[in-house]
Amino acid sequence: MALHDRRPILTDMTANDLSSGARLIHSHSDANDGRRPIGIRCRLLLFMMLAGLLPGCGLVFDAIELVHPLTGDELSTICSRGRLRVGISVEPFRPFVFPAVYTDEGIRVTGLDVELIREVSRALSDHCGGRQPIVPTLHLTRFRDLLIELNEGHLDLFVSSFSGNVPGSHPGGLWTSIPYFHDGGIGVIVRRPDVEEKVLAALHHQTEQIDTLAAMQEGLSGLTVAVQNRRTAHFYAEANLPRTKLVVCDSLPAAVETKDPPIDVILTDYPILQYVTKRVWPDWRLLERPDGSPLILTREYFSIVTSEEKRRLQWLLNNLLYRLEETGRLAKMRRRWLQEDYAPTRRATVEGLPLEVSKVPGHYNQGQCRMAGK
């Protein structure tokens, strides 16, 4: 049921009916309970029947809110709850989120996005008065479910190297913050020398008048190109590379390991490819321009995501990110995760956030690949 259908259903019940039902629900039983006026008992019955019908559409919460209006806004709700419910992608995108590891303290995840989540939690703790820390809890979330999860109130925000500026990357109804990572973009990795030569030859043709899109359309023509489902490279390839054989994969590891069909080229976020080609999959080569500069097909930045109507939370996030940027804290975080040498397991042990055991199988499930359109 659509969100906009909720209020009309509930407004058929008068305020007096609802308040009467609420009083009856919360009153203590007494000897005269069986002799309550029939009208009141009917209104209570109607209230309870509606409550039984509404859970599937998420409307019980709305009904209760009409009976006992909730005070405050989304920030007050987080303060009262003492928890920040954060969605992260099911697939870990190194170095923004690393695969979960087992430590003496339990299962932990770490990465640039995880450190950022800690900063958001600290800012919320300060906003809430600092009497108790706001504890971040991680929820594995698929991109296709973001609109529902955020607008239905199951999550407060989402942080997973999410592009805020690529067309089609997020549906209406979602809001993206100012960037916390500016130097994103789509990169290219290959494994076979002949494929590399074909792409580089197309780039050489554009040396006098640079046109990266035209070079990619020529160099990737006829090749089998893998992208991750609903990531920015997927939208880019659909819009700009009609002469490729496009393969859509559930994860980057699935694209690397699939043999049917054999993959010639993988497109995904450049900083992720920088990390994995150096430390995880050295058989794959990150392509550069003929002059040695990075080959980036389009620019993108990464943002925090929340639902469109959460204005106070949006201002808290933007103000926090602006302060982290102007103090140099964000630049330090980016250097720490993208440029330094470190052991992710060690950082997970020392500073990682916990992940429930039940969520680990989904976190490691790399899925499959299939031809686009199937």
Side-chain angles (χ1 to χ4, degrees):
M1 182 178 292
L3 293 174
H4 60 264
D5 290 333
R6 296 181 174 183
R7 297 298 180 191
I9 294 174
L10 293 172
T11 51
D12 291 339
M13 300 173 64
T14 65
N16 289 333
D17 290 337
L18 289 171
S19 59
S20 298
R23 286 194 299 272
L24 287 173
I25 288 173
H26 292 292
S27 65
H28 296 288
S29 58
D30 55 59
N32 297 322
D33 186 65
R35 297 191 296 274
R36 286 192 178 110
I38 293 176
I40 294 178
R41 281 185 287 170
C42 289
R43 287 195 293 269
L44 175 59
L45 178 61
L46 175 60
F47 179 84
M48 295 177 68
M49 289 173 64
L50 277 174
L53 292 172
L54 298 181
C57 299
L59 296 175
V60 170
F61 183 83
D62 290 346
I64 295 172
E65 185 177 354
L66 286 176
V67 176
H68 290 293
L70 297 178
T71 58
D73 49 56
E74 66 271 16
L75 295 183
S76 300
T77 301
I78 293 172
C79 293
S80 300
R81 191 194 307 134
R83 291 185 297 111
L84 175 67
R85 301 166 305 179
V86 183
I88 62 172
S89 173
V90 171
E91 178 188 354
F93 300 118
R94 309 171 178 93
F96 297 91
V97 177
F98 284 89
V101 297
Y102 290 85
T103 73
D104 292 339
E105 303 299 322
I107 299 169
R108 296 289 185 269
V109 292
T110 192
L112 172 58
D113 287 346
V114 176
E115 186 171 350
L116 181 61
I117 291 168
R118 284 191 174 279
E119 293 289 344
V120 175
S121 299
R122 289 190 190 100
L124 281 165
S125 298
D126 292 342
H127 172 84
C128 297
R131 289 183 296 274
Q132 62 175 1
I134 300 300
V135 178
T137 59
L138 302 181
H139 302 261
L140 298 184
T141 308
R142 298 189 184 278
F143 289 110
R144 65 172 182 263
D145 300 329
L146 259 187
L147 181 63
I148 295 174
E149 294 295 311
L150 286 167
N151 282 334
E152 289 286 344
H154 303 147
L155 299 175
D156 298 309
L157 50 88
F158 178 85
V159 186
S160 263
S161 55
F162 187 93
S163 174
N165 65 307
V166 171
S169 59
H170 59 86
L174 298 182
W175 173 89
T176 54
S177 71
I178 61 175
Y180 66 87
F181 186 83
H182 304 268
D183 299 324
I186 298 172
V188 182
I189 59 173
V190 301
R191 185 158 43 186
R192 299 199 333 255
D194 59 315
V195 174
E196 180 177 358
E197 289 173 7
K198 184 179 188 300
V199 178
L200 292 180
L203 287 168
H204 275 294
H205 294 165
Q206 302 293 333
T207 52
E208 293 185 3
Q209 184 176 358
I210 297 175
D211 188 338
T212 300
L213 177 57
M216 288 301 99
Q217 289 172 335
E218 176 188 347
L220 299 179
S221 177
L223 297 179
T224 303
V225 177
V227 295
Q228 292 154 275
N229 190 28
R230 299 193 65 80
R231 291 288 284 181
T232 52
H234 184 184
F235 299 113
Y236 177 89
E238 281 188 332
N240 299 297
L241 303 175
R243 293 177 292 174
T244 62
K245 301 170 187 174
L246 189 62
V247 175
V248 179
C249 298
D250 295 322
S251 68
L252 182 56
V256 168
E257 296 180 12
T258 188
K259 300 296 189 294
D260 184 22
I263 303 300
D264 298 317
V265 174
I266 298 175
L267 306 181
T268 196
D269 301 279
Y270 185 87
I272 295 172
L273 292 179
Q274 267 189 314
Y275 185 91
V276 297
T277 52
K278 288 180 180 177
R279 298 174 174 87
V280 185
W281 298 304
D283 291 343
W284 288 82
R285 176 175 171 81
L286 179 61
L287 292 190
E288 298 177 336
R289 294 183 181 277
D291 63 1
S293 61
L295 173 58
I296 296 178
L297 309 191
T298 189
R299 286 289 182 185
E300 63 177 324
Y301 56 75
F302 296 156
S303 300
I304 300 175
V305 187
T306 188
S307 58
E308 203 168 50
E309 73 277 4
K310 294 183 177 179
R311 295 288 181 240
R312 290 177 63 85
L313 177 58
Q314 291 165 14
W315 273 113
L316 183 142
L317 294 172
N318 269 4
N319 290 340
L320 170 65
L321 292 174
Y322 186 77
R323 185 168 73 252
L324 293 176
E325 192 71 76
E326 69 177 351
T327 60
R329 176 82 175 94
L330 266 179
K332 182 179 179 181
M333 289 166 60
R334 292 190 289 260
R335 287 193 303 271
R336 185 168 182 257
W337 291 102
L338 275 78
Q339 298 176 21
E340 292 182 6
D341 290 325
Y342 56 90
T345 53
R346 171 63 179 166
R347 287 190 175 178
T349 301
V350 174
E351 61 192 72
L353 288 176
L355 187 69
E356 293 180 12
V357 175
S358 61
K359 298 176 181 177
V360 173
H363 195 55
Y364 277 93
N365 181 11
Q366 62 191 40
Q368 343 178 348
C369 296
R370 56 207 166 272
M371 297 299 298
K374 293 186 178 180

